[in-house]
Structures are given as C-alpha cells and as structure tokens.
Amino acid sequence: MAEVKPEEMIAHPPMDQLQGFEYCIDSNPNWGEAIALGFQHYILSLGTAVMIPTLLVPLMGGSDGDKVRVVQTLLFVSGINTLIQTLFGTRLPTVLGGSYAFVIPAISIIHDSSLSRISDDHERFLQTMRAIQGASIVSSCIQIILGYSQLWGICSRFFSPLGMVPVVSLVGFGLFDRGFPVVGRCVEIGIPTLILFVASSQYLKHIYVRRLPILERFSLLITITIVWVYAHLLTVSGAYKHHPERTQLNCRTDRANLISSAPWIKVPYPLQWGAPTFDAGHSFGMMTAVLSTGAYKAAARLASATPPPAYVLSRGIGWQLNLCIFGYGSENVGLLGLTRVGSRRVIQISAGFMMFFSIMGKFGALFASIPFTIFAAVYCVLFGIVAAVGLSLLQFTNMNSMRNLFITGVSIFLGLSVPQYFFRYTSSAQRGPAHTKAEWFNDYINTIFSSPPTVALIVAVFVDNTLDFQGTAADRGMGWWDRFRKFKGDSRNEEFYTLPFNLNHFFPPS
C-alpha cells in the first residue's frame, strides 16, 4: 500500500472565509427574497426588544403604556443604528438591538437610593429613564473616543486567534440561561418550537420551491408562525386558565398587554421622557458594557467575509452610538449562518422594518406579542452557532500545544464560571459581590465580571501575552492573523469594508 503523505492527511485545510454561502456580505438575493429575509431578521430582533423592557420597566414603576413606548423607542433607534453601522461603521450585516450586557448597570441605576425613594410610580419611571439615558450618552462618548482615537486599534495588537476563541465563543455560550431554562417555563410551546426549527432548517433544508430552498431560508419565520398560532389557540381555548401566573406569562399570547396599550401611530422622538440627567456613578457601569467586539468577528465569519481589520473595528465602535436606553448587541449573527445569507442589504431592509413597525404601534405590538418561550427555543440553535464560530478559529492555532490548551480551557471555563458566581450572589443577596461605599466602583466591577465575553477577553488576552509568549507566534495563529490586522494587508478588505459614496477618499484607512 502506498504511503500517505502528511499533507494528504489534512482533509480540511484552514480557510479564511466560511464556505457554502449562497450570498456573502456584498452579494444580494433578489428583492422579494431580500425583503422576506429582512422581515425574518426583524422578527428575531423582537426577542430582546420586548424581553428587556418587560423586565426593567415594571421595576422602574412604569405602566404597560410606558413599556410600549420603551419597546417602540428601542426598535426605532435600533433601526437607525443598524443602518448607520451597515453604511458607515463596520459595514458588517449585524442588527444592533437591545443587549443583555446593559441590563445589570440599568438595574443598578433603578435601585439607586435617590430614585427608589420616589413614591409616585410614574415620576420614578421618568426620573429613572432620564438617569439611564444620561449614563447611555456618557458610554456613547467613551465608545466614540475608543473608536476614533484608534485606542481600540492599539489594544487589538495584543489579540490573536487563540485569544479570540473564548471571546467569540462566549458571545453564544454566555447566553445559555436565555435558552433552555426559559424553554422549560412552557415546554408545550418551547419543545415543539425547538424540534420544528431544527427539523425544518437542517433535515428538510433540501426542499426547494421554484429553485429556492424555502425551509432553509425561512425556517425561523415558518416555525415562529406555526407555533405562535398554536400558542394562540391554546390561549383562547382556556388551556391556561387555571395555571399559575408564571406559566400564563410565559405561555399565553395575551399577557404582554402590548396590543391594547399601543397607539395606532406614534413616532419616537428625542427627550420624550425629559432631559437626561448625568451622574458619574451611574455612568461607570454603562461604560464597562461596551468592551467586547466578539459579535463583530462572528458576524464577519458568518457573512463569508475576512476578519475585520483593527481600523474597521475602531470605525464600528465609533459609530456604535448608544442612542437608546439599554445599549446594543448583535442577536442576528447566528441567523446569517443558518440561512447561508450574509447579505448586507438584507440587514438594511430589516432596519427599515424596525423603524416602520415602531411607528405603526398596533401592528408592531401584534408581532411583539409572540411568547418569550418561542424566542428562547430559537436561541438554543442560533447562539449555539455563534459559539461554534468562535471555536472554528482554533483551526488557525496549534492545538497540540499544552500552552494553547491551557489558555483556551481556562478562559472559557472562567468566562462561564465567574459570571455565574456573580449572578447567583446577586440573586440571593440582592446586590453584587462588590459592595463598597463607592457605588461607581461596585457598578464597574459587578458589570465587568457578570459578562462572560468580557471575563474571557481579560483572561485570554492577559495569559496569551504573558505566558511563554516568545517564539509562539505560529502556535497562536499570528502568521494567518497578521495580514488581516491592517486594512491594506489583504486585497479582500477593500471589497468588504470600503465606505460607500467614495468616502474612503475623504477618510482614508489608517
């Protein structure tokens, strides 16, 4: 038998771009398909857009009407921010919407003694909203400074593929508590959603209608529609009439009280809750929630693009304006891979849907009445894809190195374990582990160490740059990484990340 050469044993060589995509970042499906895909991304964005206000607004003393206004504003500004980011920021196909990273500093502001002592609920809601807005504006200024001063670009010199594996992976793995634990609150809706979503998107993906893989492209939309109708039938038939309040909240389609509270037409406008108030203590927690850019790296890979250079990431951070009250994060990244469509145009269309349906209040509230359990079942798949994209960066590193195994394993484990400790401590003690007299310091520490990607970033980058780092550049993947660190390091960067309207002529890459 002929001897097999070592190079022939490598069946799957490392690849700069993810293969098998029908449309990558700068190619577009036809307009009909693009509009349908954009609407699908809009439906997915409703998950966090409704979940976060539903969690926070009652704590602030707000009514159902206040919650509707917050949801509308969050969606409207998400649409604006998504358009800005896809045109002038990273130009990656990422929907920027409500982020769980900002929930902890927002809760800290809500529990501030100066606000919690206000007896009138509506006045407390208004004052709290102004305080959160002020803190958001300060964190936006920090983002602008980090982006346009190139400070983030300088910091990125210490990043490597090995160091980015835990960060990107925990963008998905770190949200495990938003998956099956929520599905379990209403298994009769959550389990069918999960099974139907996996079956339609994977096992039945080769079914074509007019040369279009209909189930692969629109499995999320089809699954949510079917289960939503099923959940509504259970609701109107009285299936949950005698169940506990918690079960009804997670299973019924009429518990959000959004449709009855929403106006037919309402345009969100600046200062609708009054002028923002500024407090240094409130701002520190918000500032720490902007540290990780792992979702951008995942989005680049799932759009079949090359890794964004430091200049592009800096530009994206500078344009990631925290214009609304709860910050922004990428929730659609996994859907790019599931549909095999990474088109920028699709995301821009979804931004149009966000703005349109936030103005048309009743129609937007109808879609927003989808039970949270359905979104949680979908997240089990989508966040898993994002996590796997992070792990795929290991192909550029030497995983036969004990040093690399140590860094990867420890940073992922601590990235999950440390935030879990902070979460459990906060749940039992009603305050974070950091509880000194300096509230700003408490917010800073509690926010940083409650974020899995941020903890992973700190651990992985520090250890990667201090543990036997000399002579290990090849093992860390730096040979592959170096050409993507500069805008002109690879010819494909210009194709994927050049600004529109010939703006690169006026703002040349640094």
Side-chain angles (χ1 to χ4, degrees), residues 432-494:
H435 49 275
T436 66
K437 293 182 179 180
E439 290 294 334
W440 64 269
F441 177 79
N442 299 342
D443 291 346
Y444 193 83
I445 296 299
N446 291 331
T447 302
I448 284 182
F449 292 102
S450 296
S451 168
T454 304
V455 173
L457 175 70
I458 294 170
V459 175
V461 173
F462 175 78
V463 180
D464 189 32
N465 286 276
T466 56
L467 177 63
D468 300 333
F469 67 94
Q470 293 183 345
T472 59
D475 286 353
R476 299 164 64 203
M478 295 305 292
W480 169 78
W481 186 264
D482 278 342
R483 59 197 171 104
F484 298 113
R485 296 169 73 180
K486 296 181 180 179
F487 190 83
K488 296 184 179 180
D490 189 280
S491 59
R492 291 167 292 181
N493 289 341
E494 187 171 352

Side-chain angles (χ1 to χ4, degrees), residues 188-466:
E188 58 267 41
I189 291 177
I191 297 296
T193 303
L194 182 57
I195 293 173
L196 184 59
F197 190 44
V198 172
S200 60
S201 65
Q202 302 302 311
Y203 292 94
L204 303 176
K205 64 182 177 182
H206 299 297
I207 295 177
Y208 282 73
V209 176
R210 295 183 179 178
R211 294 184 296 178
L212 178 70
I214 191 76
L215 291 180
E216 181 183 54
R217 288 285 191 278
F218 303 109
S219 57
L220 183 139
L221 203 57
I222 293 170
T223 298
I224 288 180
T225 301
I226 292 173
V227 180
W228 186 21
V229 171
Y230 163 63
H232 185 66
L233 291 176
L234 289 178
T235 300
V236 297
S237 66
Y240 302 112
K241 186 176 297 183
H242 303 295
H243 282 67
E245 182 67 23
R246 178 184 173 88
T247 301
Q248 295 194 39
L249 181 63
N250 287 281
C251 298
R252 294 179 66 101
T253 58
D254 59 357
R255 281 288 163 166
N257 295 326
L258 293 176
I259 299 176
S260 59
S261 304
W264 282 101
I265 298 177
K266 177 76 174 181
V267 180
Y269 56 91
L271 308 181
Q272 58 186 317
W273 292 289
T277 57
F278 299 93
D279 181 276
H282 295 163
S283 303
F284 271 94
M286 285 289 184
M287 287 189 288
T288 56
V290 303
L291 292 178
S292 178
T293 56
Y296 285 138
K297 297 185 183 297
R301 191 141 184 85
L302 287 174
S304 194
T306 52
Y311 166 76
V312 172
L313 284 178
S314 295
R315 192 174 70 193
I317 291 172
W319 277 109
Q320 190 174 309
L321 303 177
N322 190 9
L323 295 172
C324 198
I325 47 180
F326 300 127
Y328 295 89
S330 299
E331 301 294 336
N332 73 310
V333 175
L335 190 57
L336 299 176
L338 198 74
T339 59
R340 295 193 300 120
V341 176
S343 170
R344 185 187 294 124
R345 175 183 292 173
V346 167
I347 301 304
Q348 291 169 339
I349 291 172
S350 75
F353 277 118
M354 289 182 205
M355 291 185 285
F356 175 77
F357 283 114
S358 65
I359 294 173
M360 307 299 291
K362 291 288 187 186
F363 295 102
L366 173 65
F367 296 124
S369 67
I370 300 170
F372 297 157
T373 310
I374 295 178
F375 288 109
V378 168
Y379 289 162
C380 290
V381 176
L382 300 182
F383 288 139
I385 292 174
V386 175
V389 169
L391 296 177
S392 74
L393 295 175
L394 290 173
Q395 66 184 301
F396 306 109
T397 68
N398 176 17
M399 291 313 290
N400 290 313
S401 162
M402 190 61 221
R403 173 190 181 274
N404 288 3
L405 290 173
F406 173 84
I407 293 171
T408 304
V410 171
S411 54
I412 289 178
F413 186 84
L414 289 178
L416 290 170
S417 187
V418 172
Q420 186 68 9
Y421 163 73
F422 272 70
F423 172 75
R424 290 187 178 183
Y425 190 103
T426 304
S427 298
S428 61
Q430 297 301 307
R431 54 176 171 75
H435 49 275
T436 66
K437 293 182 179 180
E439 290 294 334
W440 64 269
F441 177 79
N442 299 342
D443 291 346
Y444 193 83
I445 296 299
N446 291 331
T447 302
I448 284 182
F449 292 102
S450 296
S451 168
T454 304
V455 173
L457 175 70
I458 294 170
V459 175
V461 173
F462 175 78
V463 180
D464 189 32
N465 286 276
T466 56

